[in-house]
């Protein structure tokens, strides 16, 4: 219900970015009924797949990091991201609750050095590092803004070490 920038999202999708769900009305999923969860999952997936052609909406990031009914989520998506801050093992046990690392001013990774350290930790543990970035450079529509300069330095580090890291969309990794 936030009237997303569909033109921008189409451009992002055309450039290889995954467009995933975050529900329609952004509820705390653990506080609404199963029927309301079904509506949130189904309508969001439908809206994205109607507006962004050429790719399917296969993943969801939980609003407020609260998981709903895992069985219902799995009827719509192949995986779901929460925000517990943990690195996932190489074979996650629950694809409907994949942990992510919060980035930005309110997250645990605020700087390029901290982002790089998390990526290195994933390599060392042979795990997954899923970064949660809500906004860039004080975008007022997001939560926990990450400075573009820090993200840029991190992306340069990842590119310089491309043989060491596997970087892909959440849906492709799953």
């Amino acid at each position: 219900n936030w009237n997303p920038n569909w033109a921008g999202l189409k451009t992002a999708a055309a450039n290889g970015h995954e467009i995933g769900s975050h529900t329609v009305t952004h509820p705390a999923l653990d506080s609404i009924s199963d029927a309301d969860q079904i509506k949130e999952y189904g309508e969001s997936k439908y809206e994205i797949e109607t507006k962004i052609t050429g790719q399917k909406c296969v993943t969801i990031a939980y609003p407020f990091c609260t998981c709903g009914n895992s069985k219902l989520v799995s009827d719509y998506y192949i995986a779901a991201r929460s925000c517990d801050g943990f690195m996932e093992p190489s074979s996650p046990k629950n694809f409907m609750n994949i942990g992510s690392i919060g980035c930005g001013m309110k997250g645990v990774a605020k700087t390029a050095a901290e982002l790089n350290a998390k990526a290195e930790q994933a390599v060392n543990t042979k795990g997954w590092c899923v970064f949660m970035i809500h906004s860039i450079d004080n975008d007022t529509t997001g939560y926990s803004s990450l400075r573009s300069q820090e993200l840029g330095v991190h992306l340069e580090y990842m590119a310089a070490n491309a043989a060491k890291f596997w970087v892909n969309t959440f849906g492709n990794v799953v």
Side-chain angles (χ1 to χ4, degrees):
N1 289 346
W2 289 355
N3 193 22
N5 175 351
W6 289 111
L9 291 171
K10 287 177 185 178
T11 299
N15 286 315
H17 293 272
E18 174 185 355
I19 308 304
S21 175
H22 198 50
T23 71
V24 176
T25 66
H26 203 264
L29 294 165
D30 62 349
S31 69
I32 63 174
S33 69
D34 284 357
D36 286 339
Q37 287 181 55
I38 289 169
K39 184 177 178 183
E40 292 288 340
Y41 304 141
E43 287 183 11
S44 177
K45 183 177 178 68
Y46 175 80
E47 183 78 7
I48 291 167
E49 290 180 350
T50 299
K51 300 279 202 280
I52 309 292
T53 57
Q55 70 171 251
K56 296 288 183 189
C57 178
V58 296
T59 65
I60 185 170
Y62 294 123
F64 306 107
C65 302
T66 60
C67 306
N69 180 325
S70 291
K71 169 61 178 106
L72 297 178
V73 176
S74 69
D75 289 342
Y76 294 89
Y77 307 103
I78 63 171
R81 181 184 53 78
S82 66
C83 324
D84 60 15
F86 295 110
M87 203 72 60
E88 286 291 329
S90 60
S91 297
K93 290 183 170 91
N94 182 359
F95 282 90
M96 295 303 117
N97 193 13
I98 299 289
S100 67
I101 308 298
C103 301
M105 300 311 295
K106 296 180 183 176
V108 298
K110 299 172 183 60
T111 66
E114 291 167 337
L115 293 163
N116 297 347
K118 291 295 184 185
E120 290 290 345
Q121 181 184 355
V123 169
N124 294 335
T125 62
K126 297 183 175 151
W128 297 22
C129 180
V130 180
F131 287 126
M132 177 184 63
I133 301 172
H134 259 99
S135 67
I136 304 291
D137 287 339
N138 298 316
D139 171 9
T140 58
T141 62
Y143 168 83
S144 191
S145 186
L146 180 66
R147 291 181 53 224
S148 60
Q149 178 183 1
E150 298 296 334
L151 180 59
V153 170
H154 169 65
L155 294 175
E156 289 171 6
Y157 175 81
M158 297 298 286
N161 294 281
K164 184 190 244 184
F165 302 106
W166 178 39
V167 178
N168 214 315
T169 66
F170 185 49
N172 284 344
V173 172
V174 170

